[in-house]
Amino acid sequence: MEIIEKAPAKINLGLDVVDKRADGYHELEMVMSSVDLADRLILEELAEDKIIIETNKAFLPVDKRNNVYQAASLIKKRFGITKGIKIKITKNIPVAAGLGGGSTDCAAALRGMVRLWDLQISMEELIEIGMEVGTDVPYCLYGTTAHIAGKGEVVTPLKPMPQCWVVLVKPRLSVSTSKIFQQVALDQLHHPDIAALSEAVLAEDYAAMLAAMGNSLEAITIPKYPIVQQIKDRMLKYGADTALMSGSGPTVFALCQKYSRAQRVYNGLKGFCDEVYLVRTLK
Ligand code: ATP
């Protein structure tokens, strides 16, 4: 039997770095939403006790450095499963881009294994396992628009964000999330009002949502990679309702309620960067 799972990318409508914890992690407050740009996982049981990961991107590791391998290993151990598993990942989400690609693959693998082996496991336990792989995995297990706090483990689903078009632009560079976080100086960051953003999403108020959106980490990533600001400026010039960096970057996304505007932004950016996507928000 084969199980197919879709693994959508996430965008950060808001990201605030609230505090630095004694264990070195940063306390975050975020609002994330998923978009219709997704990887695809196919899971298949193997008679032999081994984990095989296959992917269409040659540069991705397929051993225990792959988040999906880690998910399979943790589930097999937790449930004492002696059968093996093969997971084929078709990657469409750009890697190391701020779109949570590895985390959403991990969450999809966890969901898929629950179905494949009919596992009795609570969401809390799945989140605990997911946190061992990455701090964005708990959000990806929910996948709707949500408020996220703590290190990433406290997820409160909100209403779906107001429907709109999303133009994603990934410049040709990769950003290491941990390197960006190493440079965080809390007093030098802009702190978006995440409570106001959550309220705007709950009220389905698009204008209020735009007004409250913001990302603390732009202050660190943009001076290092000025192209991020150039992309934002271009998106606004072509008529985007707003433009913001996702996660620690370097992907920038524009929101547009009108399709004609989204197309204009898409076409305007297509000549500037190779990786440009025009997608919808997910319900
Ligand atoms: P985030 O927004 O959560 O910081 P990201 O989108 O910036 O994540 P990823 O695409 O998850 O970053 O990739 C980060 C690193 O994780 C890469 O260096 C990659 O080699 C590794 N990785 C491990 N497993 C995967 C996977 N299944 N898909 C993508 N990257 C993976």
Side-chain angles (χ1 to χ4, degrees):
M1 185 177 60
E2 271 185 3
I3 297 272
I4 299 177
E5 282 284 337
K6 209 172 149 180
K10 59 86 178 164
I11 53 172
N12 289 86
L13 300 177
L15 188 161
D16 185 20
V17 187
V18 181
D19 201 5
K20 184 160 185 194
R21 301 157 51 124
D23 61 7
Y25 274 97
H26 287 86
E27 189 89 21
L28 302 175
E29 213 190 333
M30 304 183 278
V31 173
M32 288 193 208
S33 198
S34 295
V35 297
D36 197 10
L37 169 68
D39 294 342
R40 201 170 72 126
L41 273 68
I42 302 177
L43 298 84
E44 196 187 332
E45 187 183 82
L46 300 175
E48 207 184 322
D49 187 2
K50 58 184 179 184
I51 300 169
I52 299 177
I53 308 294
E54 291 177 357
T55 156
N56 59 331
K57 297 283 179 210
F59 60 84
L60 271 186
V62 290
D63 55 16
K64 58 179 185 295
R65 289 169 297 167
N66 194 301
N67 292 352
V68 171
Y69 186 105
Q70 291 169 33
S73 168
L74 288 166
I75 286 285
K76 273 168 57 55
K77 198 164 150 207
R78 159 79 175 73
F79 288 92
I81 296 167
T82 52
K83 298 272 185 189
I85 190 162
K86 180 162 99 179
I87 306 178
K88 220 189 237 175
I89 312 167
T90 305
K91 279 228 71 91
N92 300 307
I93 305 171
V95 175
L99 298 172
S103 304
T104 190
D105 289 354
C106 173
L110 292 173
R111 282 195 301 269
M113 285 182 285
V114 167
R115 283 170 58 205
L116 182 70
W117 286 318
D118 196 17
L119 305 175
Q120 301 308 308
I121 185 166
S122 65
M123 190 57 150
E124 289 70 30
E125 264 185 289
L126 265 187
I127 285 178
E128 221 169 90
I129 293 174
M131 273 304 275
E132 289 190 44
V133 183
T135 52
D136 283 340
V137 179
Y139 163 73
C140 295
L141 285 166
Y142 284 94
T144 53
T145 306
H147 176 276
I148 297 104
K151 288 191 286 186
E153 76 283 17
V154 189
V155 183
T156 312
L158 304 167
K159 280 188 187 164
M161 70 178 276
Q163 282 278 287
C164 62
W165 296 95
V166 185
V167 182
L168 300 156
V169 177
K170 151 101 177 18
R172 203 183 291 167
L173 55 100
S174 297
V175 169
S176 154
T177 304
S178 66
K179 284 208 178 113
I180 296 297
F181 272 105
Q182 278 162 24
Q183 290 172 47
V184 163
L186 288 171
D187 52 345
Q188 283 163 31
L189 302 181
H190 158 69
H191 296 281
D193 188 343
I194 302 295
L197 178 57
S198 302
E199 274 167 35
V201 171
L202 284 171
E204 301 177 50
D205 185 338
Y206 185 70
M209 182 185 86
L210 296 190
M213 283 169 62
N215 182 342
S216 282
L217 297 178
E218 282 190 343
I220 302 168
T221 306
I222 288 178
K224 282 172 72 99
Y225 306 107
I227 192 166
V228 172
Q229 185 63 47
Q230 290 163 17
I231 295 169
K232 286 183 68 171
D233 293 344
R234 271 186 175 243
M235 286 173 156
L236 294 171
K237 188 178 109 187
Y238 285 106
D241 299 338
T242 192
L244 194 69
M245 187 179 84
S246 187
S248 55
T251 302
V252 182
F253 65 93
L255 300 184
C256 303
Q257 272 195 315
K258 286 197 187 132
Y259 183 61
S260 56
R261 288 270 184 104
Q263 262 186 322
R264 187 137 52 95
V265 174
Y266 176 85
N267 291 331
L269 270 297
K270 199 71 186 139
F272 191 60
C273 288
D274 319 322
E275 284 194 85
V276 185
Y277 308 87
L278 170 52
V279 298
R280 291 228 73 169
T281 48
L282 279 189
K283 281 202 182 156

